[in-house]
Amino acid sequence: MNHALLLVDLQNDFCPNGALPVAQGDVTIEVANVAIAAAQKAGMPIIASQDWHPAHHLSFASNHPDAVVGECGELAGLAQIWWPVHCVQGTRGAEFHPRLHHQAFDAVIQKGTQPDIDSYSAFFDNGKRATTALDNLLRQRGITRLTIMGLATDYCVKFTVLDALALGYEVQIVEEGCRGVNLQPDDSEAALVDMVARGARRICLADFIATSANDSA
Ligand code: VGL
Ligand code: ZN
C-alpha cells in the first residue's frame, strides 16, 4: 500500500465553540470518519496531525504586549498572524474532536511545539528549520501518495499539501473534508487554487472511496 490518509488538525479548538473556530469545522468530522472506514478497509495507513502548542507559544496574540488577534506581525523573522490561544498541550481544545474515530490512527504528528516559531505544515515549521517525523515515517512505509483533508484549508491543510508536493508526494485533497478560517472571505478557495496550481488534485469523498477500494485490489 503506497497510499496514506492524512487528517490535519481535527481538534476541538478549530470546531464551533472552540478557541479558533472554523465555520462548519465540525462538518469535517463525519467526512473524516467515512474516509477512515474506507482507508481501514483498504489497509491504508491513517495519520493525523495535531496542533500542539505550549501555553507560552508566541503565535498567541496574548503573549505579546500589543498584538491583536487576526493582525499580522513578525515572529522568528517571518510574517506571523496573531492567533487566539488555541490547542494548548493537554487541554480539551487540543484534543481530537470527540466524534472522530481517532482509535484508527496509526500515527499522530504533533506540531507547533516550539514556542518561538509557528508550524502550519505537518512536515516542517514555518521557517523550514525543523522537520517533524512525518516525511521519514512515510518514506519508511514506502508511501508516495497522500489523501489529505482537515482544518484549516487556508493554513495547516494548505501548507501541509504544498510541502507534500514539494517533497514529491502525489496529493489529492478531499474538498468536503476541509473548512477554512477565511480571514478574507475567499481565502479557502484561493488556497485550493494554489494547491491545484502546484499539482494537487481536488476530489470528493466518493472519489476517495472508489480509489481506495482499487488500491486494495
Ligand atoms: C491552524 C492557525 C493556527 C490550522 C493552526 O490548523 O490551520 N491555523 N494554528
Ligand atoms: Zn496553531
Side-chain angles (χ1 to χ4, degrees):
M1 176 59 59
N2 67 348
H3 187 181
L5 176 63
L6 177 57
L7 303 171
V8 176
D9 298 3
L10 294 173
Q11 294 165 260
N12 288 320
D13 270 344
F14 299 122
C15 290
N17 302 317
L20 206 174
V22 172
Q24 301 185 323
D26 55 337
V27 168
T28 63
I29 304 302
E30 273 61 49
V31 178
N33 284 337
V34 173
I36 287 168
Q40 282 184 308
K41 203 167 162 193
M44 190 183 294
I46 303 163
I47 299 160
S49 67
Q50 187 175 33
D51 210 34
W52 193 248
H53 297 306
H56 56 292
H57 198 271
L58 291 175
S59 71
F60 300 163
S62 59
N63 287 331
H64 299 266
D66 305 312
V68 175
V69 168
E71 290 190 355
C72 198
E74 195 184 295
L75 182 62
L78 305 164
Q80 175 69 48
I81 297 167
W82 305 126
W83 299 111
V85 174
H86 66 279
C87 297
V88 172
Q89 297 171 6
T91 64
R92 183 174 155 69
E95 289 172 12
F96 292 115
H97 190 283
R99 288 200 305 277
L100 183 65
H101 294 161
H102 61 87
Q103 302 82 355
F105 297 168
D106 294 290
V108 174
I109 302 293
Q110 295 179 329
K111 61 186 182 61
T113 55
Q114 290 305 309
D116 49 359
I117 192 161
D118 213 350
S119 187
Y120 296 148
S121 164
F123 290 96
F124 306 103
D125 64 50
N126 288 2
K128 293 207 168 65
R129 292 167 200 170
T131 58
T132 67
L134 182 56
D135 186 43
N136 274 337
L137 182 152
L138 296 173
R139 284 177 199 282
Q140 274 164 14
R141 296 188 183 207
I143 289 159
T144 55
R145 301 173 60 202
L146 294 171
T147 294
I148 301 180
M149 71 185 83
L151 300 169
T153 316
D154 37 359
Y155 295 95
C156 292
V157 172
K158 174 181 166 182
F159 285 88
T160 298
V161 166
L162 295 183
D163 283 343
L165 291 165
L167 288 165
Y169 295 93
E170 189 186 315
V171 178
Q172 41 188 21
I173 310 153
V174 177
E175 218 172 307
E176 68 263 59
C178 299
R179 289 293 186 284
V181 176
N182 292 326
L183 288 177
Q184 300 297 322
D186 61 354
D187 281 354
S188 290
E189 181 55 29
L192 284 162
V193 168
D194 272 4
M195 295 185 262
V196 168
R198 304 261 198 109
R201 278 211 315 142
R202 290 165 80 152
I203 64 164
C204 61
L205 180 62
D207 296 331
F208 174 69
I209 294 167
T211 57
S212 63
N214 294 339
D215 278 352
S216 62

